Amino acid sequence: KGESTMGCTWYSCKVTGAVDAPVLLSLSWALLVGFLARRSRFCTMGAVRDLIMFRHFHLLTGVLAFVLTAFALNLALGKVNVGFEGQPIAHSAHLWNFLGMLAAGWAFALAGGCPGRQIFMAGEGDADSGLFVLGMIVAAAFAHNFGTASSGAGIGPYGDVAVYVCLAVLLALSLIHIRKSA
């Protein structure tokens, strides 16, 4: 009754990453966390930038508070599992974990902020951030539909090629922007 094709009702949802998530409670928490993150200017990329370039620790304190709170909650719930083995959606191909996160971090640096910050700014009406968020959604759909996404079973059949292509595109974009700024 009231269930969609994704297995969601108005009060719960049964999809990957949200097994039996109470929708109204999840949305309430998301709004609260989003509000607090926006008010505090929470941005992981900005925190690292400010630390390296200006020796300012203000944004880094928010990131540290986030990490410590997440660790404490996971510890209290018995969900701490150090390493890649036994993680719900992780594989143990360390090189591809590193290269995939390198590509993600590089893309976020070129975009001017972490994904959370892009989502906050898109919600405020920033068209560039809105386009970036739309790109993240399209890229996720592409990855899951064309064999480039990874899972606990390992990297997707075309995951390695996708990472190489992403790194090459990011390098090209970086070189183009370096030349333009010079």
Side-chain angles (χ1 to χ4, degrees), residues 11 14-15 20 43 45 62 79 104 107 110 121 134 141 151 159 170 180:
Y11 62 89
K14 293 181 182 180
V15 294
D20 293 324
C43 179
M45 296 296 292
K79 301 287 185 181
L110 290 177
M121 290 172 26
L134 182 62
S151 69
L170 291 167
K180 281 185 181 178

Side-chain angles (χ1 to χ4, degrees), residues 15 20 43 53 58 73 77 91-93 100 102 106 134 144 157 169:
V15 294
D20 293 324
C43 179
M53 293 179 67
H58 171 71
L73 285 172
L77 296 172
H91 57 78
S92 59
L102 174 67
W106 195 349
L134 182 62
H144 286 278
V169 168

Side-chain angles (χ1 to χ4, degrees), residues 90-112:
H91 57 78
S92 59
H94 305 306
L95 174 67
W96 296 107
N97 284 327
F98 173 78
L99 291 176
M101 292 312 299
L102 174 67
W106 195 349
F108 301 144
L110 290 177

Side-chain angles (χ1 to χ4, degrees), residues 105-127:
W106 195 349
F108 301 144
L110 290 177
C114 63
R117 179 117 175 102
Q118 297 296 332
I119 292 170
F120 306 145
M121 290 172 26
E124 294 174 341
D126 185 305

Side-chain angles (χ1 to χ4, degrees), residues 25-49:
L25 180 63
S26 298
L27 286 174
S28 300
W29 275 105
L31 288 172
L32 175 64
V33 169
F35 173 78
L36 293 173
R38 177 64 191 118
R39 295 293 297 162
S40 67
R41 295 180 51 236
F42 182 84
C43 179
T44 55
M45 296 296 292
V48 172
R49 177 203 60 216

Side-chain angles (χ1 to χ4, degrees), residues 106-107 109-110 167-181:
W106 195 349
L110 290 177
L167 290 172
V169 168
L170 291 167
L171 178 61
L173 288 171
S174 297
L175 292 173
I176 289 168
H177 286 286
I178 287 173
R179 288 185 187 137
K180 281 185 181 178
S181 65

